[in-house]
Amino acid sequence: MDEILPHYTEIIDGNLFWDGTNILEVAKDYGTPFIIYSENILRGNYRKIKNAFNKYFKNVSIDFAIKSNFNPSLISILSSEGCGMDASSVNEIKIALLSGVSPDNISFTPNNVTIEELKFAIDKNITINFDSLSQFRMVLDHLPEIVSFRIKIDYGKGEFPGIKTAGKGAKFGEIPELALQGYREAKEKGCRRFGIHVMAGSNVRNADHFKLVAQKILEVVKNFEEELGIEFEFVDMGGGFGVPYRPEEGELDVMDTAKNIADVFKAFYTEKGREIPRLVIEPGRYISSNSGLLVGKITDVKRQESNFTGTDIGMNILMRPALYGAYHHILIANRMNEERKFKTDVTGQICENTDRIGKDVMLQEPQIGDIVAVFNCGAYTMSMASNYNGRLLPMELLISDGKLITIREKDNFQDIVRHTKFYESAKTLKD
Ligand code: LLP
């Protein structure tokens, strides 16, 4: 049976090409490890989800979840498409602002932040989706123009327990009774503009999930509006739009997803005799995931009770397999015409036994020096990478108009010791 290849890949003379680019040549020219992104794919993903929601909603804002990838070049590309941004920290807000996104196209959905972070957003006129009544009360005397709470509905679903972001046991959002109290206090303080937010889970490829979330949040909208005599001017459904990590998996149908949500909204607001308010969505992974490829080198092959293929791209760069048991598709870029008959774990250079980027993977017979390509590394890869074991963060490249540009230089040794002091020099500075 012919192998199913991930989208945007081709094999030419046994070598892997991705988005028209010869990955081996890039590896030779730049050295590994690196993450390479495709401007085409990034823009295409955004347009696909935008077109789907524009078809069913008159008023919709799409805010890219910066946490999935905060490289400013990628943020600027999305901003040039008219995409807004959702930030989870002040630094993400700053990146959005520096990349040319205007404050009214930025939302801020943090948790457990300090009063300074909340005030920073308020002073910039950025909409905050408050995570709790107590966080909201920290700024009671400095209220934003619009008050919105992230509601913890009684339902959540994620590909892994670790990425379920609502429902019992989730750390995010406020329970409806306490959020209601928050809106009441905002109203008493003179606030007249309100929004509401929900985010029920991540990497969901089933369009019915979003219908259920829409129903759940609109039940809350109904109760709160009746109780408080207010009207919400936006409903933010968060992100969670899933992507296939295995080439044989099906895609989330975003048209169906948008239609599902729209059906629920239409029925609800028709009964109320009102226009559907602005819908906000915050996709991260859907836009960025398959726009990035992680490329590394095979640095060892151990043939033991099981096989271990060592690489220079371990959990320090791609944390998801170690953290959640996530699957990422791996190919040996220079052996694409050979049969996959070598069963192996693919590991990194980190001193942790969980340092695997693939478990029981069938690969072509590997050799030290081969080049490996790991798919779906545009989301939650670089943004979750670390310097563990003193390893350097990789460089980031972008395929733009058929040319390669560097959008992040590789770290160097100075970068990892820059803010630390060697003991003797620390003592000298102190004296
Ligand atoms: N908006 C809010 C408020 C969120 O908490 C998240 C993700 C998103 C948007 C974007 O979700 P997406 O569309 O990307 O699913 N590190 C995990 C994912 C954690 C998601 C947490 N919140 C992973 O690697 O799968």
Side-chain angles (χ1 to χ4, degrees), residues 66 70 87-98 108 117 120:
I66 303 179
F70 55 76
S88 59
S89 68
V90 157
N91 289 337
E92 286 185 357
I93 295 179
K94 288 181 182 169
I95 289 172
L97 293 170
L98 286 171
F108 185 36
E117 286 197 72
F120 177 92

Side-chain angles (χ1 to χ4, degrees), residues 3 150 167 178 184 397 410 418:
E3 179 174 341
R150 175 175 183 164
L178 295 182
R184 190 173 285 127
L397 304 167
K410 184 182 175 163
R418 174 163 295 147

Side-chain angles (χ1 to χ4, degrees), residues 65 67 109 150 163 199 202 240 282 284-285 320 324 380 384:
K67 74 193 73 178
T109 316
R150 175 175 183 164
I163 60 174
M199 160 86 195
S202 191
E282 301 163 355
R285 185 188 324 262
R320 304 187 69 253
Y324 317 113
Y380 304 115
M384 291 169 70

Side-chain angles (χ1 to χ4, degrees), residues 5 19 33 60 118 165 190 193 206 220 248 358 361-362 387 397 399 418 430:
L5 288 174
D19 191 33
V60 50
L118 293 171
T165 53
R193 298 181 63 192
N206 178 348
V220 179
E248 67 275 14
V361 184
M362 292 306 294
N387 291 121
L397 304 167
I399 309 167
R418 174 163 295 147
K430 196 171 147 241

Side-chain angles (χ1 to χ4, degrees), residues 195-428:
I196 194 161
H197 180 285
V198 64
M199 160 86 195
S202 191
N203 202 25
V204 182
R205 285 182 295 117
N206 178 348
D208 290 342
H209 158 79
F210 298 92
K211 184 172 198 157
L212 194 58
V213 177
Q215 282 162 346
K216 293 265 178 203
I217 194 65
L218 290 186
E219 269 169 37
V220 179
V221 166
K222 181 172 186 294
N223 293 341
F224 284 14
E225 289 193 344
E226 283 171 12
E227 192 75 34
L228 300 164
I230 61 169
E231 286 184 3
F232 289 106
E233 67 179 57
F234 71 80
V235 179
D236 187 332
M237 296 263 305
F241 309 94
V243 300
Y245 279 84
R246 297 174 191 266
E248 67 275 14
E249 282 172 349
E251 289 187 22
L252 169 73
D253 189 325
V254 272
M255 275 292 174
D256 276 1
T257 305
K259 183 177 181 307
N260 274 351
I261 300 175
D263 287 347
V264 178
F265 273 65
K266 259 185 212 141
F268 181 82
Y269 285 98
T270 308
E271 201 186 311
K272 282 196 167 285
R274 271 181 26 219
E275 283 271 299
I276 295 178
R278 181 164 62 98
L279 175 80
V280 185
I281 56 167
E282 301 163 355
R285 185 188 324 262
Y286 187 87
I287 295 176
S288 55
S289 178
N290 73 347
S291 78
L293 189 72
L294 170 61
V295 179
K297 189 168 62 222
I298 294 179
T299 46
D300 198 3
V301 182
K302 282 181 174 170
R303 291 170 169 84
Q304 300 179 345
E305 73 290 351
S306 48
N307 297 314
F308 299 97
T309 301
T311 69
D312 56 358
I313 44 173
M315 66 189 286
N316 50 316
I317 303 179
L318 176 60
M319 169 86 143
R320 304 187 69 253
L323 196 56
Y324 317 113
Y327 177 87
H328 281 259
H329 202 61
I330 304 173
L331 296 174
I332 300 188
N334 51 307
R335 297 189 186 278
M336 294 299 297
N337 281 349
E338 296 172 26
E339 225 181 297
R340 286 178 177 251
K341 48 184 188 193
F342 185 74
K343 188 171 178 185
T344 182
D345 280 7
V346 182
T347 65
Q349 301 165 319
I350 298 302
C351 296
E352 290 283 346
N353 204 25
T354 51
D355 179 26
R356 326 257 149 156
I357 53 171
K359 270 198 84 67
D360 291 335
V361 184
M362 292 306 294
L363 282 186
Q364 294 84 354
E365 191 77 30
Q367 271 189 30
I368 292 178
D370 283 351
I371 296 299
V372 281
V374 186
F375 287 77
N376 288 94
C377 288
Y380 304 115
T381 303
M382 193 59 173
S383 63
M384 291 169 70
S386 78
N387 291 121
Y388 191 28
N389 281 187
R391 293 282 161 201
L392 305 179
L393 295 179
M395 70 168 71
E396 295 182 289
L397 304 167
L398 176 73
I399 309 167
S400 173
D401 261 341
K403 290 192 203 69
L404 266 189
I405 48 181
T406 303
I407 57 171
R408 186 189 199 281
E409 300 289 349
K410 184 182 175 163
D411 274 5
N412 58 37
F413 175 69
Q414 281 311 317
D415 292 314
I416 57 169
V417 292
R418 174 163 295 147
H419 296 294
T420 54
K421 303 267 180 282
F422 290 92
Y423 184 56
E424 288 308 322
S425 70
K427 281 203 299 193
T428 320

Side-chain angles (χ1 to χ4, degrees), residues 73-85 96 99-102 105:
S73 289
L74 305 186
I75 306 290
S76 306
I77 291 171
L78 291 172
S79 168
S80 75
E81 292 275 335
C83 184
M85 298 293 149
S99 311
V101 186
S102 78
N105 282 331

